[in-house]
Amino acid sequence: MIGPGTGVRVYLGCGVTDMRKGIAGLSAMAQDVLRQKPAGGAVFAFRGRRGDRIKLLYWDGQGFCLYYKVLERGRFPWPNTASGSARLTSAQLAMLWEGIDWRRPDWGAPPARVG
């Protein structure tokens, strides 16, 4: 994904977001709902009702970037809370963007060798 590098702050807008919103509407949500400065360098993620669409809003220093992804199959993993926000790491954002469940990654030890 082209966009912010590692170490960026990431905020999820929990609950359902109207995916018809553009940059102005999503930046207003970042400010009013998430209580963050939209042009502060953080990434703001929003998911639609069906769960198969996600929008990321990011200020790159010159203007807002809006990333939009629609999954052909499956849903983006999302917190169960109806309102508020959640904070992610840049690694968790990368997993989210790929449709991987960032809440329960399989970081276990490799399987034991038999024989």
Side-chain angles (χ1 to χ4, degrees):
M1 176 177 95
I2 299 170
T6 60
V8 68
R9 296 178 329 276
V10 180
Y11 297 94
L12 295 186
C14 297
V16 175
T17 301
D18 182 352
M19 287 288 104
R20 295 174 293 181
K21 289 185 184 294
I23 290 173
L26 295 175
S27 62
M29 286 186 66
Q31 183 169 328
D32 299 338
V33 176
L34 304 178
R35 304 279 189 232
Q36 299 295 320
K37 183 179 175 186
V43 174
F44 302 98
F46 304 94
R47 190 181 83 157
R49 181 169 304 283
R50 291 185 299 193
D52 65 340
R53 297 158 198 272
I54 191 172
K55 285 188 177 182
L56 304 180
L57 180 68
Y58 173 67
W59 175 263
D60 71 355
Q62 296 178 326
F64 281 106
C65 301
L66 183 61
Y67 302 93
Y68 183 48
K69 186 168 184 175
V70 179
L71 292 177
E72 288 186 23
R73 290 181 288 125
R75 299 170 56 139
F76 286 102
W78 214 252
N80 291 330
T81 59
S83 63
S85 67
R87 183 102 186 258
L88 269 62
T89 65
S90 55
Q92 289 170 320
L93 174 63
M95 288 189 285
L96 172 65
W97 188 254
E98 294 301 322
I100 299 169
D101 194 343
W102 52 270
R103 300 167 297 182
R104 293 179 277 127
D106 187 11
W107 300 121
R113 292 172 39 141
V114 178

